[in-house]
Amino acid sequence: MKVIGITSTAILSLVLGIAAPAYAQQEGHGEKDDHQKENNQEHGKPEQKQTQEKGQGDHKQQQPSHAKEQQDRQQQPQQAQRQNGQDQHKQQERAQEQKKSEEKNQQQQHAQQQQRLDQNKQQAHDQHQQNQQQAQHTQHGRQPRQVSPEQQRVQQTAWQQHRSERWESDHRNWQQRGGYNGYRIPEDRFRGYFGPNHGFRIHGRPFLVVGGFPRFQYRGYWFSLVDPWPQTWANNWYDTDDVYVSYVDNGYYLFDRNHPDVGIAVSISL
């Protein structure tokens, strides 16, 4: 029994000796863990603070981008409105230009129509005057005046003496003569009584022979032939043919309607 008791005591002591260091070690580990947790907590605060500050920094960085997007969205309607205003202004300018162009075209068309009306009126007026003149000319201009046999003989002799056998070489135009220096018929009167549309006959009109050249009177003017008349014309053309006076190349010429390509130079006097 004593042996057993001693053995039990020894075993118990051994157990207690073993347990004590283990407890002490466990307790040390526990303190160490607690100390480590405290350290982690203390160190964790700055990390958390840094994380929060970083998040705040990121948030601050995101704020300008968000504000810019919002500002852009606000500016878009303003830009669109300005663009619309510019487009409307351009459309108005184009409409005004088109309106001015149309008004100008209308004015030109109206002026052209008025010009045509004036021309038609003038042509009708000229035609009326011409008809009247032709009627008067038919009634009075071609009616032969009474010519005595002696006067008729004198006229015939003067015309025959003034005939050319070589007209191409005998005649000269006014340029070859140095220019026309006689009386000039006023333009309005010339258009009314002379030219291709106003033919007449020499027969029966007042007649003279001056310097060997025949001279006759028509519409208050004396016409003197300074050129001979071609041998190809009829012997009595001055009695039977219609003639007219035209102004060509700065001078007056007498034309026979049966020979319109030949002009005889004439000088005019009152």
Side-chain angles (χ1 to χ4, degrees):
M1 292 297 290
K2 189 176 180 180
V3 174
I4 295 168
I6 294 171
T7 303
S8 301
T9 303
I11 293 169
L12 179 62
S13 297
L14 181 60
V15 171
L16 292 173
I18 295 170
Y23 177 77
Q25 184 177 4
Q26 183 177 5
E27 185 177 0
H29 283 294
E31 292 177 357
K32 185 177 181 180
D33 292 337
D34 294 338
H35 182 68
Q36 186 174 1
K37 289 180 180 179
E38 291 177 359
N39 290 333
N40 290 335
Q41 291 176 358
E42 291 177 357
H43 289 291
K45 290 180 180 179
E47 291 177 356
Q48 184 179 4
K49 184 176 181 182
Q50 290 177 359
T51 303
Q52 292 177 354
E53 290 177 354
K54 183 178 181 181
Q56 292 177 357
D58 294 340
H59 181 67
K60 290 180 179 179
Q61 291 178 358
Q62 293 176 357
Q63 283 182 352
S65 177
H66 179 71
K68 185 178 180 181
E69 292 178 356
Q70 185 176 3
Q71 185 177 3
D72 292 341
R73 287 194 298 270
Q74 292 177 354
Q75 290 178 354
Q76 287 178 356
Q78 296 177 358
Q79 293 177 354
Q81 186 176 3
R82 286 196 298 269
Q83 186 65 32
N84 292 333
Q86 293 176 357
D87 294 341
Q88 291 178 357
H89 182 68
K90 291 180 180 179
Q91 290 178 358
Q92 291 177 356
E93 289 182 348
R94 286 194 294 267
Q96 291 177 356
E97 291 177 356
Q98 184 177 2
K99 184 178 180 181
K100 290 180 180 180
S101 178
E102 292 177 353
E103 291 177 352
K104 185 177 180 180
N105 292 333
Q106 291 178 356
Q107 291 176 357
Q108 291 178 351
Q109 292 177 359
H110 179 72
Q112 291 176 355
Q113 292 176 355
Q114 187 64 36
Q115 185 178 5
R116 286 194 295 268
L117 290 174
D118 294 340
Q119 289 177 353
N120 292 335
K121 290 180 180 179
Q122 185 64 34
Q123 290 177 357
H125 178 70
D126 293 343
Q127 186 65 35
H128 179 69
Q129 285 187 343
Q130 182 178 349
N131 293 336
Q132 288 183 341
Q133 292 169 1
Q134 288 179 352
Q136 293 175 359
H137 179 71
T138 301
Q139 294 176 0
H140 305 289
R142 294 185 179 180
Q143 291 181 354
R145 299 175 59 183
Q146 295 296 328
V147 180
S148 65
E150 181 63 21
Q151 291 176 338
Q152 188 174 2
R153 186 184 63 81
V154 172
Q155 292 182 15
Q156 184 177 5
T157 302
W159 285 113
Q160 294 301 322
Q161 290 178 350
H162 204 61
R163 181 176 184 176
S164 173
E165 297 297 334
R166 296 181 301 273
W167 188 81
E168 294 294 336
S169 60
D170 291 341
H171 88 97
R172 290 184 298 166
N173 57 35
W174 281 115
Q175 291 181 350
Q176 293 172 336
R177 295 176 182 276
Y180 179 78
N181 296 319
Y183 178 82
R184 295 181 182 271
I185 302 173
E187 185 65 24
D188 55 343
R189 187 169 178 80
F190 184 86
R191 289 197 306 266
Y193 300 102
F194 300 94
N197 295 329
H198 302 280
F200 60 93
R201 290 185 181 179
I202 299 176
H203 176 73
R205 300 188 177 278
F207 183 86
L208 292 175
V209 178
V210 179
F213 294 95
R215 175 182 294 186
F216 64 91
Q217 190 180 47
Y218 174 69
R219 294 292 181 182
Y221 302 99
W222 285 97
F223 295 86
S224 298
L225 277 71
V226 296
D227 249 352
W229 52 276
Q231 72 279 6
T232 56
W233 290 14
N235 291 333
N236 58 347
W237 64 270
Y238 46 86
D239 288 336
T240 60
D241 294 354
D242 289 341
V243 297
Y244 60 89
V245 177
S246 286
Y247 186 80
V248 182
D249 295 334
N250 297 323
Y252 295 98
Y253 294 88
L254 180 71
F255 290 88
D256 189 326
R257 283 188 172 177
N258 294 330
H259 308 278
D261 55 336
V262 178
I264 299 175
V266 294
S267 179
I268 302 175
S269 59
L270 292 176

